[in-house]
Amino acid sequence: MAIFKGAGVAIVTPMQKDGSVDYDKFEEMVEFQIKGGIDAIIVCGTTGEASTLSHAEHLDVIRCCVDVVNGRVPVIAGTGSNCTETAIYLSEKAEVIGADGLLLVSPYYNKATQNGLYEHFKAVANSVKLPILLYNVPSRTGCNIQPETVIRLCKDVENIVGVKEASSDIAQIAKLAALADGAVDIYSGNDNEIVPIMALGGIGVISVLANVAPGQTHDICQKFLDGDWEGSLREQLRAMELCNALFCEVNPIPVKKALELMGLIGGTLRMPLSEMESANVLRLEKAMKGYGLL
């Protein structure tokens, strides 16, 4: 059974002006998501600035999310690393904390061969019992998980159940879907590709857009799952300008600015991320107004 179907939010980690985690605002964001109809919460991913959280902060944010959600929707914890031992450590701790699943990004910087990826993910999966989603985002990691490797892992390792596909390579994703024979739960990792990937057999999205529009992102997925493909496509196309604006600078710079403009959180980022350029702020504001968020 899939960990979730529909729209999962790759939730931001709000920061106070001194750079510390703002747990009060994080709790408010979790409640905003659940009230908006989100289907799952993915915590401590790229959008959550996990790469600049200490291990203690990383686990505290996961714990806070699990506690606030209190079983209302699945919580999937990002516990990947370019160090296999670190990924195992974070994954084991997240399981104890009470996460419902894990998201494991492919090793970055040091990268790996396809055999190396297989052994890395298998080692992490064997250290826990939680269901696991792989995360393929070559633009961030410099490492592409090939379809054959995804399928091999999902067939060989019982608790590796799917993949967040953010390669932006529709041909590769189509190949994965064709070869998978139902063995892989595929989620779009890009908000501007939800409908195309669901049309190839995907079952949802792990979304940045959902931070500001949880209900609308849920509707794109739910309409498709319900067979209202025209309605799903209509909602996808209506969101395109905003999707593109949310990625006009490196994620999560624009989405944090969008949440600040909505009055939901402060826009503080941890270095090396920097304040959004003024021209791009204007572009983002225009897209948000066009989408009815401002």
Side-chain angles (χ1 to χ4, degrees):
M1 180 180 293
I3 304 175
F4 77 96
K5 290 185 178 182
V9 61
I11 198 166
V12 301
T13 303
M15 307 288 184
Q16 301 190 53
K17 288 185 177 180
D18 64 1
S20 60
V21 176
D22 190 334
Y23 289 98
D24 290 339
K25 287 296 182 184
F26 181 74
E27 292 181 14
E28 290 177 13
M29 277 297 300
V30 170
E31 293 294 349
F32 173 72
Q33 289 298 315
I34 293 175
K35 184 178 179 180
I38 205 66
D39 299 297
I41 296 179
I42 294 80
V43 60
C44 291
T46 305
T47 312
E49 295 176 80
S51 58
T52 58
L53 297 176
S54 69
H55 288 173
E57 288 174 323
H58 195 131
L59 296 174
D60 282 345
V61 173
I62 295 171
R63 184 177 295 107
C64 180
C65 189
V66 168
D67 288 347
V68 175
V69 170
N70 194 27
R72 289 177 286 176
V73 296
V75 173
I76 300 169
T79 54
S81 173
N82 64 335
C83 171
T84 305
E85 287 187 6
T86 299
I88 289 173
Y89 168 78
L90 292 172
S91 298
E92 290 176 338
K93 293 294 186 181
E95 183 171 45
V96 172
I97 288 168
D100 299 293
L102 304 175
L103 179 70
L104 300 181
V105 70
S106 58
Y108 40 86
Y109 186 70
N110 50 7
K111 305 196 290 186
T113 64
Q114 295 301 305
N115 284 334
L117 289 173
Y118 177 87
E119 295 298 337
H120 167 82
F121 287 125
K122 183 178 179 180
V124 179
N126 284 341
S127 73
V128 296
K129 295 181 180 178
L130 292 176
I132 289 170
L133 300 178
L134 309 176
Y135 180 16
N136 190 34
V137 57
S139 65
R140 289 266 187 178
T141 65
C143 185
N144 184 32
I145 314 174
Q146 295 290 343
E148 294 85 355
T149 304
V150 173
I151 293 163
R152 184 182 172 201
L153 282 161
C154 287
K155 289 186 174 181
D156 290 357
V157 185
E158 183 178 4
N159 59 328
I160 297 180
V161 299
V163 61
K164 174 186 177 182
E165 245 298 344
S167 66
S168 294
D169 186 340
I170 292 295
Q172 174 173 297
I173 299 166
K175 180 180 180 181
L176 170 63
L179 296 175
D181 192 28
V184 182
D185 292 335
I186 303 173
Y187 299 86
S188 175
N190 294 317
D191 289 306
N192 59 358
E193 298 173 354
I194 301 172
V195 170
I197 289 177
M198 292 188 75
L200 291 170
I203 59 173
V205 63
I206 295 177
S207 169
V208 174
L209 172 67
N211 278 280
V212 296
Q216 296 92 322
T217 312
H218 164 84
D219 286 348
I220 294 172
C221 296
Q222 194 59 53
K223 285 179 184 295
F224 196 99
L225 292 170
D226 290 343
D228 181 8
W229 305 307
E230 289 186 1
S232 177
L233 177 59
R234 185 166 54 249
E235 290 300 316
Q236 170 81 88
L237 295 177
R238 189 172 77 86
M240 289 300 285
E241 183 180 359
L242 179 56
C243 291
N244 293 334
L246 287 170
F247 286 88
C248 66
E249 290 189 20
V250 67
N251 179 50
I253 294 173
V255 73
K256 274 199 156 180
K257 176 58 70 175
L259 289 164
E260 181 182 17
L261 292 170
M262 293 171 70
L264 294 174
I265 66 168
T268 303
L269 300 143
R270 281 193 176 175
M271 292 179 67
L273 299 183
S274 57
E275 184 68 20
M276 195 172 185
E277 296 179 13
S278 56
N280 287 329
V281 173
L282 292 175
R283 176 183 175 183
L284 178 62
E285 287 181 315
K286 178 183 177 183
M288 292 176 71
K289 288 177 181 176
Y291 199 65
L293 296 179
L294 293 178

